[in-house]
Amino acid sequence: MKAEDHGGTARQGGSSGPAAEESPGGGRPRRHIRLSSHPGGTAKPVAIDWGAANPKARGPVLGSVRDGTRRNVIGAHAGSYSLYRALAVAAGRLDPVHVPDLTNTAPAEPIGPWPQWAEADRIVSLDPWGHMVSEAFAEEIADGLDIRPTIAVTKAHLTVPEIGSAIAAGRLVPDGEVLTAAGDARVTKIAIEPVWYLPGIAERFGIGEAELRRALFEESGGMYTELVTRPDVKVFLPPVGGITVYGFGDAAAPARAGAAVTCRVHDECNGSDVFGSDICTCRPYLTHGIEECIAAAQGGGTGFVVYNRKEGRALGEVTKFLVYNARKRQPGGDRAETYFERTECVAGVQDMRFQELMPDVLHWLGIRRIERFVSMSDMKRDAIEAQGISIERQVPIPPELVPDDAQVEMTAKRAAGYYSEDGAPSSGDLLERAGRSLTD
Ligand SMILES: [Zn+2]
């Protein structure tokens, strides 16, 4: 790709331009903006050998904007929060040269390394060494490289009303370890930011890397010029939400000792998960998953709830609420028969969660087999099995946990191939399953 082909995009810095100038308000002169949008020049990115067997050979993910010449990624740390950081700098509240003091921030429980980390095509959407940087790259950090963790591992207690109900009903019994006498679940809590290795992402979707980079560039409004001008830079820190893993029991036991795994992979639904909205089954299924994970850990296995920030099937909450209105206002009212159609009318697609990347976190946890997969989703199951992890059993949501207004969603999903012990619904069911109207 010739640099001059992209002269126009390189100048998209707009009013800030590459040269120093007085700020319009007459304040301090703006610093020179160093464009990193073309190979060569002063750029000397630190090498990354994705999938290498140890962190030194792999090389650090260097996303700090402080040292533009050594950076080896496109984008910035912290996903979408990088833009809040920009606001903080612009507003004069954050020193742009602040470097994190990582004292005492190391993982509260060790995770890995596992053999899957060294298989380049297994993990392409997160940095497997992301929680170990302050240890693995201590010398480089001491030498002044601003290498930042993209994963943090801590410990917590979960207090969930539904777990209290499970204890009251006798389904769970506090053991003082996994479940305290007060009814709190002890967990390992892991936050993971996305780190995309672009050749691997492209391969996962069966498309060319150039095609992927061009779409990312264009559909983000030209936000990341280097996607098209720096084909030598292969790692992208996308401004999308990350993953939180809640581990019940010994998080290392499945990889180290082959302990049985119970797992719920849950895609964020703020309305239901947090606020108890009854149009879907998200919170009931999530809390059922937590209950299953606690039982698994008490039985000597390990439970994982993987929580992905992919609101409204990754269409976003505005689109999701527009679809709710369209479903409830359509002639004949909200019904299973037209559930997916209404989404597609508004969004153009039924779903943008792209489960193809979802199994990466399971590889990172060293999982090769899931005994109990707490999900009815055929898309999730197929994606996990396609990445070489076997699933012994899918655990459906108990019927009594499905809210009335969520029967439309449940019936539509079963008709579309969701796993159900009762099989697919009849065409009569599809017509009959009606939800509330907007004004009820
Ligand atoms: Zn939901």
Side-chain angles (χ1 to χ4, degrees):
M1 192 177 287
K2 285 184 200 158
E4 54 268 32
D5 291 344
H6 300 279
T9 51
R11 282 193 295 273
Q12 280 184 355
S15 61
S16 45
E21 57 186 47
E22 291 297 320
S23 68
R28 64 189 167 116
R30 286 177 181 159
R31 288 171 294 118
H32 283 276
I33 290 181
R34 290 192 191 91
L35 292 179
S36 54
S37 49
H38 291 82
T42 56
K44 290 187 179 59
V46 174
I48 290 188
D49 179 11
W50 195 266
N54 66 70
K56 289 282 191 194
R58 207 290 304 275
V61 168
L62 188 55
S64 166
V65 295
R66 287 177 62 240
D67 189 353
T69 61
R70 308 305 313 278
R71 267 165 58 83
N72 56 15
V73 303
I74 299 162
H77 280 298
S80 56
Y81 296 106
S82 61
L83 300 182
Y84 283 105
R85 185 179 179 281
L87 280 180
V89 169
R93 314 259 181 92
L94 173 62
D95 182 348
V97 299
H98 171 77
V99 176
D101 174 359
L102 298 175
T103 308
N104 288 333
T105 63
E109 185 170 322
I111 305 283
W114 309 125
Q116 290 93 325
W117 297 13
E119 297 165 21
D121 57 346
R122 282 263 185 252
I123 300 176
V124 299
S125 61
L126 59 90
D127 175 8
W129 309 97
H131 54 315
M132 298 165 74
V133 299
S134 52
E135 179 193 340
F137 299 111
E139 288 167 31
E140 289 84 350
I141 291 171
D143 282 349
L145 283 185
D146 181 7
I147 303 167
R148 303 192 177 192
T150 56
I151 298 176
V153 183
T154 188
K155 294 276 189 182
H157 283 206
L158 303 187
T159 306
V160 180
E162 286 88 338
I163 298 309
S165 305
I167 294 170
R171 296 197 305 273
L172 287 177
V173 179
D175 59 351
E177 293 291 327
V178 179
L179 199 55
T180 69
D184 296 348
R186 285 201 171 91
V187 293
T188 303
K189 194 163 73 166
I190 307 166
I192 302 172
E193 285 172 11
V195 178
W196 287 5
Y197 177 59
L198 292 169
I201 301 269
E203 197 182 323
R204 199 67 69 84
F205 288 101
I207 55 176
E209 186 190 336
E211 205 177 334
L212 170 70
R213 296 173 78 112
R214 186 183 175 126
L216 289 169
F217 169 69
E218 290 181 344
E219 297 303 320
S220 64
M223 196 168 174
Y224 299 98
T225 317
E226 295 121 303
L227 283 166
V228 288
T229 61
R230 292 291 304 272
D232 58 314
V233 181
K234 300 292 187 190
V235 176
F236 178 41
L237 303 180
V240 298
I243 302 167
T244 311
V245 176
Y246 290 87
F248 302 76
D250 181 356
R256 200 186 51 232
V261 171
T262 290
C263 179
R264 162 106 188 126
V265 175
H266 190 90
D267 295 324
E268 177 176 33
C269 172
N270 186 267
S272 171
D273 294 346
V274 179
F275 291 95
S277 166
D278 69 346
I279 196 169
C280 56
T281 56
C282 298
R283 180 175 173 100
Y285 219 157
L286 177 62
T287 55
H288 180 63
I290 293 172
E291 183 178 330
E292 283 274 343
C293 284
I294 292 170
Q298 289 184 328
T302 302
F304 293 108
V305 171
V306 176
Y307 193 87
N308 293 306
R309 295 314 186 300
K310 292 178 181 173
E311 179 59 64
R313 293 194 212 128
L315 302 170
E317 206 168 40
V318 169
T319 297
K320 181 180 188 173
F321 290 6
L322 294 174
V323 171
Y324 287 159
N325 284 348
R327 276 171 54 187
K328 290 183 178 293
R329 284 186 177 130
Q330 68 188 319
D334 188 17
R335 59 199 190 278
E337 179 201 15
T338 55
Y339 172 84
F340 287 110
E341 197 182 311
R342 288 282 76 77
T343 306
E344 207 165 343
C345 282
V346 178
V349 290
Q350 293 180 1
D351 198 311
M352 293 203 300
R353 284 175 291 179
F354 293 116
Q355 302 296 352
E356 286 89 337
L357 303 177
M358 173 270 285
D360 286 21
V361 65
L362 304 176
H363 288 311
W364 181 70
L365 291 163
I367 296 171
R368 297 201 184 272
R369 183 180 127 121
I370 296 170
E371 269 67 21
R372 290 174 72 77
F373 185 54
V374 189
S375 171
M376 293 159 76
S377 169
D378 51 333
M379 287 181 292
K380 290 176 184 168
R381 179 198 62 219
D382 293 349
I384 289 171
E385 290 183 338
Q387 290 304 310
I389 296 171
S390 63
I391 292 176
E392 292 299 305
R393 183 170 171 217
Q394 280 187 268
V395 180
I397 187 171
E400 65 273 18
L401 295 184
V402 180
D404 268 356
D405 202 39
Q407 294 292 350
V408 171
E409 177 196 273
M410 185 52 76
T411 306
K413 286 180 169 177
R414 279 171 50 213
Y418 266 43
Y419 170 79
S420 165
E421 285 169 353
D422 303 328
S426 68
S427 52
D429 273 348
L430 279 175
L431 288 168
E432 273 169 29
R433 285 297 183 191
R436 268 201 323 269
S437 74
L438 265 184
T439 50
D440 276 354

